Amino acid sequence: MDYVSSVKHTEFENRAKDADDLLLRATQGDRGALEELYRMFSPQVYAFALATLKNVEDAKDVLQDCFVSLCCNSENYQPQGKAKSYIMTVTNNLCLMLLRKRKRNADLPEEDWMPQIEREELTPYEKALLRECLSSLDDLERQVIVLHVVSGYKYREIAALLHLPLSTVLSKYFRAQKKMQEKFK
Amino acid sequence: MKKSEWKNALRHSFTVLSPDDFETVLSECERKGRIPMTENKTPANRRKPFRYVLLAGALVAILVSGLVIGNVLNRKTDPPPEATPAPITEQTTEKTSTKITPTSEKTQETTQPETVVPTEKTPDAVPEIVASVYLDVNPGLRFELAKDKTVADVAATNKDGEAFVDGIKSDALGKTLNDALGSAVAQLTGAGSISKANDTVLLAVVADDQAEAVKISGSASFAIKRSMSKNGIYGNVVTCSVQPTKRVMDLVDDYVISVSKASFIIRLIDFDPAYPTERLVSMTIDELVALCKEWNVIGWCDINVTAKEALETAAADVGISVGDVILKYRHSQVEVLSEPDRNICLWSLWVADGENNYGYHIDAATGEIRKKTGPTVLPDEQAVTQLITERYTERGIHVSGASSLGDLYQLYFMDYSDSAEPVCRVQIYTDEGVYTVSYNVVTGEDTLLNFLETKQAK
């Protein structure tokens, strides 16, 4: 292993250990740890929930439920440097439960939820990107893109999280990427 | 704009969109008694020092109001939280339908999580794809293999591939990989993409099961060579195992090339970082291989030994002259083993001296024999056919005829594991259809490979 990759590897390990430590401390009632954990992972959790549910309010619910669940139900979590995977698994489970119970697969009309993502802070290009990501990609493509691009998940991690073969993840990613690239050349 | 910039923009967009509802989360955790009112001093705490005064006040309000309501409702309190791991925790309908809001609604009763094991996958139907096979001769194509080993989809991996993908896809869908590859190679040859001047095909298989990937790669390599030779081209198939690492995938993303070609190019970039990546990307596989030879790339396509020299080495090892060697595989091939610790290039030869069959892996850089299989006694073609006919008759199958599989009979399949043994194939004809049977020369076991019903056979 060369110097650069070993440094990167160490950084990655440290960050994983940090997340582990924060999660453990949060379960022990450390609000500071819970806040840091929230700051670190809430964009990823929210992005994945929004990509899965295509509903802003539901995604917010999942974001809240996820961190409450992490704080209240993770006493048995064994720190193995996999806090990120653990958090996304919780998110995925919450999304699936919501979809199952409400019997809807984010088929809300676009005009109902699209204005809710129109933020002033976003540039027109970013708004267009979001719109494209949320409306043109199919459910799996969207999840894979968000997990890889927004959450920084590796393909193998995505495959494990979504219970899909690696090949499917790759092909979904390629397709999604192609669609996005064609639209935003 | 760089192709990957949209990713950064998308990442930023989602980050902006993400709400800051930490207060709500915190108050819910406090309500459940998981976060005590006393502060633990951490850097995060110091970011908003006065907020916790408000929170503490809110918590007191909760406790007071909770006490009042608790008295009214005969001390109906929350049960203690369960210590179940979150990934297998499902919250009840009441919980998920109760929107958590800051302090004002904290006195609402919510039921505690119940433990279930989620077994559902994402809602839309996902074809079970077990492997992706990348074929690259410059038009780049990806074949997706379903669980039943048929082709579930074909996609172009680069711009040149897009011109062919529709025609190849319509032929390939539902077929076995080998048939699909055969047909694809025929089309690419017809269009001039594979020619005598451009006769190297890059093949890569990505699958979760590495052993399966090697198996598919071997079989696909054979199918491609066979199809090429049918079209009068006796080229090479360069196979390599690829890992979709970040570097590889970034190259794929940025230049829209196949995973296999990207892996190939990364080896060359590592060898000479100053060489322009764009130029490597624009090269055909043949040109890349030529560059490897020119650069004498150590550890990958370091080919100092020609196919003829490899054959001479094998013949000398068997103890016969090259003229007496029967090449069991009409054309020797270069096999690239590119596992992280073993990036070597090998000539893979199957030779026979008339009585015995031998398999060789000869290091293309040094000429050293890396692996030898055999000698295996060549079976008598007619005797094997007769034996299989008798066995099938004993099994109650009315055999109307049998034959060895001509050219296939000449081919001895050798896996890279030590346990692999040579087989030959026989076809048994019955009224119901045609059985294709593989006969293991070493163990004498026969295996039914395929049964084609009469209707299909016709």
Side-chain angles (χ1 to χ4, degrees), chain B residues 105-214:
Chain B
E105 293 178 31
K106 280 172 194 156
T107 50
Q108 283 186 10
E109 287 293 325
T110 55
T111 52
Q112 285 300 312
E114 62 187 47
T115 304
V116 293
V117 179
T119 52
E120 281 186 32
K121 289 184 179 182
T122 37
D124 55 346
V126 182
E128 272 205 83
I129 293 167
V130 293
S132 293
V133 179
Y134 294 83
L135 177 79
D136 207 324
V137 276
N138 193 31
L141 295 161
R142 185 181 66 247
F143 295 78
E144 284 171 357
L145 214 53
K147 211 173 182 180
D148 61 358
K149 301 290 164 67
T150 58
V151 175
D153 195 14
V154 183
T157 54
N158 61 14
K159 267 212 149 129
D160 291 334
E162 282 170 11
F164 294 93
V165 71
D166 289 338
I168 289 173
K169 191 173 179 178
S170 63
D171 266 9
L173 289 185
K175 282 188 182 171
T176 64
L177 176 68
N178 288 1
D179 287 347
L181 286 173
S183 153
V185 167
Q187 287 192 40
L188 292 168
T189 309
S193 297
I194 300 177
S195 63
K196 283 180 181 169
N198 184 29
D199 63 353
T200 304
V201 176
L202 185 61
L203 176 77
V205 180
V206 178
D208 284 339
D209 183 346
Q210 207 52 39
E212 187 65 16
V214 171

Side-chain angles (χ1 to χ4, degrees), chain B residues 148 175 192 258 311 422 446:
Chain B
D148 61 358
K175 282 188 182 171
S258 69
L311 182 59
D446 63 273

Side-chain angles (χ1 to χ4, degrees), chain A residues 25-36 38-39 42-44 46-48 50-52 57 60-61 63-65 67-77 86 89-90 92-94 96-102 105 116-119 121-122 125-127 129-130 133-134 138-141 143 145-146 148-151 155-156 159 162-168 170-178 180-182 184-185, chain B residues 1 3-22 24-26 28-30 32 34-40 42-45 47-48 51-52 55 59 81-93 95-101 112-113 116 118-124 126-132 134 142 144 153 156 159 162 206-208 210 243-245 249 252-254 256 259:
Chain A
R25 278 163 49 206
T27 60
Q28 290 159 7
D30 184 335
R31 71 181 66 199
L34 180 63
E35 183 171 1
E36 267 193 63
Y38 186 88
R39 306 279 168 231
S42 62
Q44 300 175 17
Y46 180 75
F48 181 66
L50 187 59
T52 307
E57 288 307 315
K60 277 184 188 170
D61 283 353
L63 176 65
Q64 291 176 352
D65 290 346
F67 282 91
V68 171
S69 178
L70 287 172
C71 178
C72 301
N73 304 314
S74 301
E75 287 166 335
N76 291 343
Y77 174 71
Y86 185 80
T89 307
V90 174
N92 191 32
N93 287 345
L94 288 169
L96 288 178
M97 276 187 284
L98 211 57
L99 288 172
R100 206 160 51 212
K101 283 180 179 165
R102 297 185 181 181
N105 185 10
Q116 299 178 57
I117 63 165
E118 302 279 339
R119 297 283 179 85
E121 303 96 301
L122 296 176
Y125 174 68
E126 288 171 338
K127 283 177 190 170
L129 260 176
L130 265 177
C133 176
L134 291 169
D138 75 28
D139 291 347
L140 262 182
E141 287 170 351
Q143 285 178 321
I145 275 282
V146 164
H148 184 66
V149 174
V150 181
S151 307
Y155 300 101
R156 283 189 191 280
L162 301 180
H163 308 287
L164 293 171
L166 176 63
S167 319
T168 305
L170 284 172
S171 78
K172 288 285 171 192
Y173 178 73
F174 287 138
R175 268 184 220 155
Q177 179 190 248
K178 196 176 169 190
M180 297 296 279
Q181 279 177 348
E182 274 174 4
F184 298 96
K185 275 177 188 170
Chain B
M1 180 176 284
K3 281 173 187 169
S4 57
E5 269 184 31
W6 66 269
K7 293 180 187 174
N8 296 332
L10 190 66
R11 198 175 301 127
H12 177 251
S13 311
F14 273 110
T15 309
V16 167
L17 221 55
S18 173
D20 184 0
D21 281 348
F22 178 67
T24 315
V25 171
L26 186 65
E28 182 65 12
C29 292
E30 285 172 340
K32 290 192 170 188
R34 299 301 301 179
I35 298 284
M37 286 180 68
T38 52
E39 289 184 33
N40 284 314
T42 67
N45 285 343
R47 282 160 67 181
K48 295 178 182 176
R51 187 187 58 208
Y52 294 106
L55 281 172
L59 199 61
E82 290 177 27
T84 48
I88 53 165
T89 301
E90 179 172 3
Q91 290 174 322
T92 58
T93 311
K95 172 67 191 75
T96 49
S97 59
T98 304
K99 175 91 171 70
I100 305 165
T101 54
Q112 285 300 312
V116 293
T119 52
E120 281 186 32
K121 289 184 179 182
T122 37
D124 55 346
V126 182
E128 272 205 83
I129 293 167
V130 293
S132 293
Y134 294 83
R142 185 181 66 247
E144 284 171 357
D153 195 14
K159 267 212 149 129
E162 282 170 11
V206 178
D208 284 339
Q210 207 52 39
Q243 292 293 328
T245 59
M249 298 317 292
V252 170
D253 291 352
D254 288 346
V256 197
V259 175

